């Protein structure tokens, strides 16, 4: 009997076996579906659980359905689904459908009015998945100084929304979820440098950021807190401890990579191979070009085809030696090859979104909104406070920063007056990059974009999904300390 994907899901088979080609058997997946003809198509249970990252590294955290990553949810574009979410923890939760154009009561953010999933309670939601492509779901509660909450724990899972027609230019799909564990605070951080291209900085932003920082330090404040981690994983396993990705010479593997980190920017390289980037944040790109390194901001996704043309045993890993040695990697093993995985450091490579874009001029916006982001060093008990146009977001005063009109095309001109890279996210809408650090582009559709230190970036979106809409930096420490704003329209 031939079963289609949906029938397999109903039997609970696909959820347990298909999500992560490497190491599928290692997942202690409970079925994500209730048996029989229950009214909900999917059941997700939020509860404390254990993740065995590797020998001697078993961590206790909060999980979806007892596993990390959460189960891969495969939806079909345009086919309505009902999801029942149980919360077996002691605190209210929010499950955010990242990258989907859902209404505010489904979105999964208290800031736009989604009801909480009560502690030891449940919530049933129905929505029509879309747009097609690689999305994800994650916790959207404020963690603040509590590094066990929000996205610091294990509440991250991938979503794949099947398009009506498949591209088919690959032999196999492999989903990879990058995630750190065991967070801790330090004064100052080690954000990677030379990540983004073009590298052009805006002098006025640099001057403003520098002088604010100097004034803060001169007043006796130390550098604000940053988060670091001691364990790193791909698909919930330390490098070398899960099943390898087993490939054959000549195969084309379509990797769907999700940066599920709460705070970090990640890179990936595979010696002897290049990545042909075909999708960013689940959306096909106008120019699918080859690159030697992927750079992926918090909450971003990259879909890339790798042609398996260099037989051997390789480490697919982060270019940061320390992070890779602490687990951020996965072994790629060709059939007939054994041995220790080989890592070869790639040359430094800057990630330029415009390489994947079109040179055609983007559509003209109806209105441009200027947004300037700034850091108030160590202003809240040692934590940096973040502002958008001088205002730090708080639920005590959640008034929208902008009132929009339905159907209009808006351009956000974003200016970063800090030296940090910010992965900027807009809920419930996709946006189009129109200018990156002075370089025009079009056709790259995303829902998170990295804005470089002291850089400027422009993106457009059409107000086509009414209601409160959250806009924020996806870096948990930044969003939790003010880097958020609301738009609203009817
Ligand atoms: Cu940020």
């Amino acid at each position: 009997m031939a079963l289609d994907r949906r029938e397999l899901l109903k039997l609970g088979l696909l959820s347990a076996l298909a999500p992560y080609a490497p190491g599928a058997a290692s997942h202690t997946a409970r079925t994500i579906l209730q048996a029989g003809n229950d009214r909900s198509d999917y059941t997700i249970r939020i509860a404390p659980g254990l993740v065995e990252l590797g020998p001697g590294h078993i961590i206790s955290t909060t999980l979806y359905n007892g596993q990390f990553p959460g189960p891969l949810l495969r939806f079909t574009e345009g086919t309505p689904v009902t999801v029942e979410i149980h919360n077996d923890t002691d605190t209210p939760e929010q499950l955010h459908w990242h990258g989907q154009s859902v209404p505010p009561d489904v979105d999964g953010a208290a800031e736009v009015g989604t009801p909480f999933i009560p502690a030891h309670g449940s919530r049933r939601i129905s929505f029509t998945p879309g747009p097609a492509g690689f999305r994800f779901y994650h916790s959207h509660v404020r963690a603040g100084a509590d590094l066990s909450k929000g996205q610091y724990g294990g509440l991250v899972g991938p979503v794949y929304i099947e398009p009506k027609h498949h591209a088919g230019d690959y032999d196999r799909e492999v989903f990879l979820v990058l995630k750190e564990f065991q967070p801790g605070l330090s004064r100052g951080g080690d954000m990677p440098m030379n990540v983004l291209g073009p590298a052009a900085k805006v002098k006025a932003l640099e001057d403003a950021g520098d002088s604010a920082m100097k004034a803060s330090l001169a007043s006796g404040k130390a550098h604000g807190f940053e988060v670091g981690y001691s364990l790193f994983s791909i698909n919930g396993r330390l490098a070398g401890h899960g099943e390898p990705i087993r490939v054959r010479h000549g195969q084309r593997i379509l990797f769907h990579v999700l940066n599920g980190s709460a705070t970090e920017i990640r890179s990936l390289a595979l010696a002897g191979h290049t990545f042909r980037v075909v999708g960013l944040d689940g959306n096909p790109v106008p120019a699918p070009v080859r690159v030697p390194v992927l750079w992926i901001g918090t909450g971003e996704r990259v879909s890339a085809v790798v042609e398996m043309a260099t037989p051997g045993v390789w480490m697919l890993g982060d270019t940061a030696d320390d992070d890779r040695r602490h687990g951020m990697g996965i072994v790629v093993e060709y059939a007939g090859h054994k041995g220790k995985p080989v890592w070869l450091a790639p040359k430094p490579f800057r990630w330029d979104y415009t390489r994947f874009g079109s040179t055609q001029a983007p559509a003209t916006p109806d209105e441009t909104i200027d947004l300037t982001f700034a850091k108030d060093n160590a202003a809240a008990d040692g934590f940096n406070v973040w502002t958008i146009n001088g205002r730090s977001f708080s639920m005590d005063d959640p008034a929208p920063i902008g009132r929009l009109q339905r159907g209009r095309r808006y351009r956000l001109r974003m200016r970063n007056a800090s030296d940090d890279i910010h992965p900027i996210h807009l809920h419930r809408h996709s946006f189009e990059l129109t200018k990156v650090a002075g370089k025009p582009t079009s056709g790259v559709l995303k829902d998170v974009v990295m804005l470089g230190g002291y850089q400027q970036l422009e993106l457009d979106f059409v107000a086509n999904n009414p209601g409160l809409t959250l806009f924020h930096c996806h870096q948990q420490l930044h969003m939790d300390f003010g880097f958020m704003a609301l738009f609203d329209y009817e």
Side-chain angles (χ1 to χ4, degrees):
M1 182 173 70
L3 293 175
D4 70 16
R5 190 169 262 139
R6 181 135 187 117
E7 286 163 334
L8 286 168
L9 276 169
K10 285 228 162 96
L11 292 168
L13 290 174
L14 200 59
S15 63
L17 297 176
Y20 312 104
S26 70
H27 283 277
T28 54
R30 276 190 245 165
T31 174
I32 58 167
L33 292 160
Q34 296 178 340
N37 54 358
D38 192 278
R39 283 169 301 161
S40 66
D41 300 320
Y42 299 83
T43 299
I44 296 175
R45 194 167 285 278
I46 302 165
L50 302 177
V51 185
E52 187 167 3
L53 297 172
H57 292 296
I58 300 169
I59 57 154
S60 170
T61 185
T62 313
L63 301 170
Y64 291 126
N65 292 13
Q67 65 180 83
F68 188 86
L72 171 66
L73 304 179
R74 281 195 182 260
F75 299 141
T76 304
E77 187 182 25
T79 303
V81 292
T82 298
V83 182
E84 182 146 325
I85 311 163
H86 294 269
N87 178 8
D88 293 346
T89 74
D90 297 329
T91 51
E93 265 295 339
Q94 287 282 356
L95 187 152
H96 171 49
W97 299 103
H98 184 121
Q100 293 204 48
S101 44
V102 290
D105 65 323
V106 168
D107 184 48
E111 293 81 1
V112 302
T114 314
F116 278 97
I117 308 147
H120 302 286
S122 68
R123 185 165 184 253
R124 182 187 293 256
I125 53 172
S126 297
F127 60 97
T128 302
F134 186 25
R135 317 280 162 213
F136 78 116
Y137 59 107
H138 64 83
S139 173
H140 208 294
V141 296
R142 185 176 187 276
D146 184 347
L147 303 188
S148 70
K149 294 256 176 343
Q151 228 179 295
Y152 293 117
L155 294 180
V156 176
V159 169
Y160 194 81
I161 303 175
E162 304 279 355
K164 294 198 177 82
H165 303 285
H166 272 282
D169 187 22
Y170 57 87
D171 298 307
R172 208 175 104 204
E173 283 176 304
V174 173
F175 287 81
L176 301 177
V177 179
L178 318 183
K179 187 76 169 73
E180 310 81 2
F181 290 100
Q182 292 189 338
L185 293 172
S186 62
R187 296 255 181 212
D190 59 346
M191 183 168 282
M193 304 298 288
N194 307 327
V195 173
L196 299 173
K201 290 177 179 177
V202 178
K203 178 85 168 50
L205 294 173
E206 194 162 13
D207 290 347
D210 269 355
S211 63
M213 193 65 189
K214 281 191 183 117
S216 173
L217 297 176
S219 78
K221 286 205 175 82
H223 282 270
F225 291 125
E226 301 287 351
V227 175
Y229 304 86
S230 52
L231 293 171
F232 298 74
S233 72
I234 294 184
N235 289 353
R237 290 297 191 132
L238 303 177
H241 288 296
E243 289 291 304
I245 300 169
R246 294 198 171 87
V247 302
R248 289 193 310 276
H249 193 182
Q251 269 186 328
R252 286 157 307 169
I253 309 285
L254 173 56
F255 286 96
H256 292 297
V257 189
L258 159 65
N259 181 352
S261 176
T263 58
E264 301 245 304
I265 294 164
R266 299 253 65 98
S267 57
L268 271 188
L270 179 63
H273 301 76
T274 55
F275 303 92
R276 188 164 61 87
V277 174
V278 295
L280 293 175
D281 294 351
N283 309 309
V285 293
V289 300
R290 286 175 202 280
V291 293
V293 176
L294 305 179
W295 280 101
I296 315 172
T298 310
E300 283 190 304
R301 288 88 66 209
V302 174
S303 300
V305 175
V306 178
E307 194 162 333
M308 293 298 164
T310 315
V313 181
W314 305 100
M315 180 62 75
L316 170 61
D318 201 295
T319 57
D321 293 338
D322 209 42
D323 297 357
R324 195 179 62 258
R325 286 176 192 137
H326 285 90
M328 192 54 80
I330 188 166
V331 177
V332 173
E333 188 182 281
Y334 279 71
H337 291 258
K338 289 275 171 229
K340 277 192 74 169
V342 175
W343 168 259
L344 298 172
K347 289 198 189 82
F349 179 78
R350 283 180 184 267
W351 185 248
D352 181 349
Y353 294 112
T354 67
R355 290 186 66 168
F356 312 110
S358 161
T359 52
Q360 285 181 5
T364 306
D366 298 305
E367 196 180 318
T368 297
I369 299 172
D370 281 295
L371 299 171
T372 300
F373 311 135
K375 172 163 74 178
D376 193 351
N377 179 61
D381 300 324
F383 289 90
N384 299 324
V385 168
W386 295 89
T387 59
I388 299 176
N389 292 352
R391 188 172 146 205
S392 183
F393 184 84
S394 156
M395 281 302 276
D396 298 334
D397 175 24
I401 195 170
R403 301 244 175 224
L404 311 180
Q405 278 177 43
R406 189 173 187 171
R408 279 166 77 87
R409 181 182 174 95
Y410 290 89
R411 179 159 296 171
L412 302 184
R413 187 159 50 203
M414 308 189 297
R415 295 155 57 81
N416 181 5
S418 76
D419 57 355
D420 302 62
I421 298 173
H422 299 291
I424 302 293
H425 175 43
L426 182 66
H427 281 222
R428 310 194 307 107
H429 298 73
S430 297
F431 51 71
E432 179 180 0
L433 303 185
T434 50
K435 197 181 268 185
V436 178
K439 191 172 172 190
T441 189
S442 68
V444 175
L445 297 176
K446 294 182 62 48
D447 50 62
V448 181
V449 64
M450 287 184 279
L451 169 58
Y454 302 132
Q455 292 200 317
Q456 186 168 315
L457 188 145
E458 295 178 15
L459 57 82
D460 289 13
F461 71 98
V462 177
N464 57 7
N465 192 12
L468 278 173
T469 300
L470 194 58
F471 169 87
H472 65 92
C473 177
H474 215 285
Q475 216 276 25
Q476 181 101 40
L477 200 59
H478 299 180
M479 67 184 277
D480 285 356
F481 290 89
F483 204 143
M484 265 197 188
L486 289 165
F487 293 105
D488 197 14
Y489 61 103
E490 288 170 4

